[in-house]
Amino acid sequence: MGTIFRILACGMLCLLIAAPAALAGGSMVIKGSTTLLPVAQAASEAYMKLHKDVNISLSGGGSGDGIKALIDKSTDIANSSREMKKQETDLAKSKGVNPVAHIVAIDAIVPIVNPRNKVKDLSTDQLSQIYQGKIKNWKEVGGEDLAIVVISRDSSSGTYESWGQLVLNGAKVTSRAQLQASNGAIVQAISKNRYAIGYIGIGYLNKSVQALTVNGIQASAKTALSKEYPVARPLYMYTNGAPKGDAEGFIKFLLSKKGQEIVKKEGFVPVK
Amino acid sequence: MTRHQKEIIIKNVFFILSLVSILILGLIVVFLFREGLPLFREVSLRDFIFGMEWYPTYSPPSYGIWPLIVGSLIVTILSSLIAVPLGVLAAVYISEIAPPAIKEVLKAIIELLAGLPSVVLGFFGMVIIAPWLQETFDLPTGLNIVNASVILAIMAVPTISSISEDALYAVPNEFKEASYALGATKFETITRIIIPSALSGISTAVILGMARAIGETMVVLMVAGGAAALPESIFDSVRPMPASIAAEMGEAPFRSGHYHALFATGIVLFLMTLAFNLIADYISQKFKEVGSATL
């Protein structure tokens, strides 16, 4: 339901972008990470409302695609949920592109359980074993003698991808894991199920579920920023050289108070 | 313009209109195959259908949909086991036993049931049935095969009961009269005369009800749990094919392997519902009553 709405919204956005593009100049391309896509989309809409002469063409495709486009000079801003790899920077340099990173938001993912669950803390290793289906009972990690119901996101979600990298190091999530199509649906399922464990973006936490500490550290904007909290990562926007023109305006807008409010609203940790 | 010319024009207009609907259907099928078939450049048909692992976003990806097919079949079969007796017996009651006043009320209620949006039923399953199942049977999860089957059965009952009722209604009065004249009771008349006469219509109803269940998306997305693994009990979570397509299509990169795999899953689903419809058609043709019993 959400996806259909998003497709419609994208389609309408395309029309909005395409129609005036023929008339005015001042267009900018943003491409890359699907994790950053909702932030980039909300920020683009707000930015275009402020600057009526600017047209932003936004697409996802993943961090790798965004960086590739930056190296080919086919995008002004590349969104990336990871730092550029060495071979990517080398390739960029050889093509005369000088990538500059801007951290615009922090993605912190929090494991959650039902409030009736006695477990309050898990290590990253325990989380990894649970999600690979190797730890199957709460008593193995200091809880009651209950089976663990693993709840995960659909495999296309950015949160799923981050979780897979930061906690599982690329190992496969057990096929017995239940699938929920949104952060909200995971909260709903966990709040009703004392067997279950799930993970959500920090912005979706509420009182109906219990957030676990990871390696004894509580997820918060502060611990995510200081990198103490392990399941967090900065989200980048790359530009070729210091940003100029609309790209500069856009990144400044995103880092402003208003832009960071959008970051918070989309469920990420603001950097300021 | 003569009456004859008008007649020809009207005939052609209707012909073109019917052609348009067939054309649209045909184009949908063409599109489905065009987007789905490129998958088989990457994986063999056998690995796709019988593969046990569905990990479309890993590298290398695995596109095995056997757990999804089993998930679809198991919720369909279980929901039929619930819906067929309910639907058929309700139809028998409405058409043969109920007094006219009750009959009207019951028909209206069943039609109302048919009009309930599936997302409402799905939500009901998610927030009411799931916690209840979990507490009552002390299960690890309430989002499972049983929950999905119950909700799908609620959706299939109106289809089964209204088509069965039409079939029962079409049984000629002469048959019943003959039965009563031979001294049969009402129960004997229903079980030995009316139901056997209407059997082809009832079978069609059952199969169309099953087709309804196998293609239903929202309910299974919300209440089946979504585990892409072979279930070990009826209280396990499964991920039927429509749920997988709906959950993943929005973010599968355009024309990637994952995208083609989801369309190919759609082809499998399409062929299954087509098979159901062909069987229904075959049964209603083959066992068609002739003479005054024609249904």
Side-chain angles (χ1 to χ4, degrees), chain B residues 44-108:
Chain B
S44 69
L45 182 63
R46 197 191 139 89
D47 287 345
F48 177 65
I49 302 280
F50 296 108
M52 294 298 294
E53 293 208 319
W54 175 253
Y55 285 107
T57 54
Y58 285 82
S59 65
S62 3
Y63 300 119
I65 62 164
W66 186 241
L68 313 188
I69 295 177
V70 170
S72 271
L73 290 178
I74 204 157
V75 292
T76 304
I77 291 167
L78 197 59
S79 73
S80 310
L81 289 181
I82 303 169
V84 170
L86 277 178
V88 173
L89 292 181
V92 169
Y93 179 74
I94 289 172
S95 103
E96 302 301 324
I97 302 169
I102 295 180
K103 183 172 170 170
E104 285 314 308
V105 174
L106 272 181
K107 279 183 85 162

Side-chain angles (χ1 to χ4, degrees), chain A residues 1 3 6 116 147 149 154-157 160 170-180 185 188 192-195, chain B residues 53 55-58 62 127 131 134-135 138-141 143 225-230 232 237 239 247-248 250-251 258:
Chain A
M1 198 174 40
T3 22
R6 217 176 300 153
R116 280 187 284 169
V149 172
D154 49 288
S155 54
S156 305
S157 114
Y160 175 90
K172 282 177 178 168
V173 171
T174 166
S175 60
R176 301 238 162 251
Q178 290 197 14
L179 162 146
Q180 292 291 345
Q188 163 72 28
K192 301 257 187 219
N193 189 342
R194 67 196 172 106
Y195 295 74
Chain B
E53 293 208 319
Y55 285 107
T57 54
Y58 285 82
S62 3
V127 300
Q134 198 188 349
E135 295 295 326
D138 193 30
L139 301 171
T141 175
L143 300 174
L230 287 182
E232 283 161 0
S237 295
R239 185 184 319 177
E248 295 167 36
E251 288 178 79
H258 188 189

Side-chain angles (χ1 to χ4, degrees), chain B residues 7-28:
Chain B
E7 203 59 30
I8 289 176
I9 291 173
I10 292 172
K11 204 174 155 187
N12 283 328
V13 166
F14 277 86
F15 176 70
I16 289 168
L17 287 179
S18 65
L19 211 61
V20 166
S21 62
I22 291 175
L23 194 72
I24 292 174
L25 189 67
L27 286 175
I28 292 175

Side-chain angles (χ1 to χ4, degrees), chain A residues 85-245:
Chain A
K85 292 173 189 157
K86 189 166 180 308
Q87 68 224 53
E88 285 168 340
T89 10
D90 289 348
L91 185 65
K93 292 254 159 71
S94 75
K95 290 199 172 181
V97 173
N98 173 31
V100 175
H102 311 268
I103 296 177
V104 293
I106 296 194
D107 185 14
I109 304 169
V110 190
I112 53 171
V113 293
N114 190 276
R116 280 187 284 169
N117 197 320
K118 289 200 182 89
V119 176
K120 300 287 176 226
D121 177 76
L122 288 172
S123 68
T124 30
D125 187 51
Q126 285 171 324
L127 283 170
S128 171
Q129 302 277 328
I130 287 172
Y131 269 85
Q132 289 178 56
K134 288 178 187 158
I135 295 181
K136 291 184 170 144
N137 195 302
W138 283 109
K139 73 178 177 197
E140 293 173 59
V141 291
E144 289 174 73
D145 184 9
L146 293 174
I148 298 178
V149 172
V150 175
I151 302 185
S152 184
R153 286 290 305 280
D154 49 288
S155 54
S156 305
S157 114
T159 320
Y160 175 90
E161 198 186 293
S162 308
W163 184 257
Q165 282 164 9
L166 295 166
V167 173
L168 289 134
N169 285 320
K172 282 177 178 168
V173 171
T174 166
S175 60
R176 301 238 162 251
Q178 290 197 14
L179 162 146
Q180 292 291 345
S182 71
N183 281 294
I186 290 198
V187 172
Q188 163 72 28
I190 300 275
S191 70
K192 301 257 187 219
N193 189 342
R194 67 196 172 106
Y195 295 74
I197 183 167
Y199 57 84
I200 52 172
I202 193 168
Y204 293 91
L205 263 184
N206 68 28
K207 284 189 181 135
S208 65
V209 292
Q210 163 81 43
L212 294 177
T213 55
V214 180
N215 302 340
I217 293 156
Q218 193 176 5
S220 69
K222 204 176 139 218
T223 52
L225 269 174
S226 68
K227 296 190 179 169
E228 281 174 85
Y229 183 71
V231 201
R233 57 179 185 172
L235 300 175
Y236 301 88
M237 284 193 178
Y238 280 96
T239 52
N240 179 9
K244 295 175 281 287

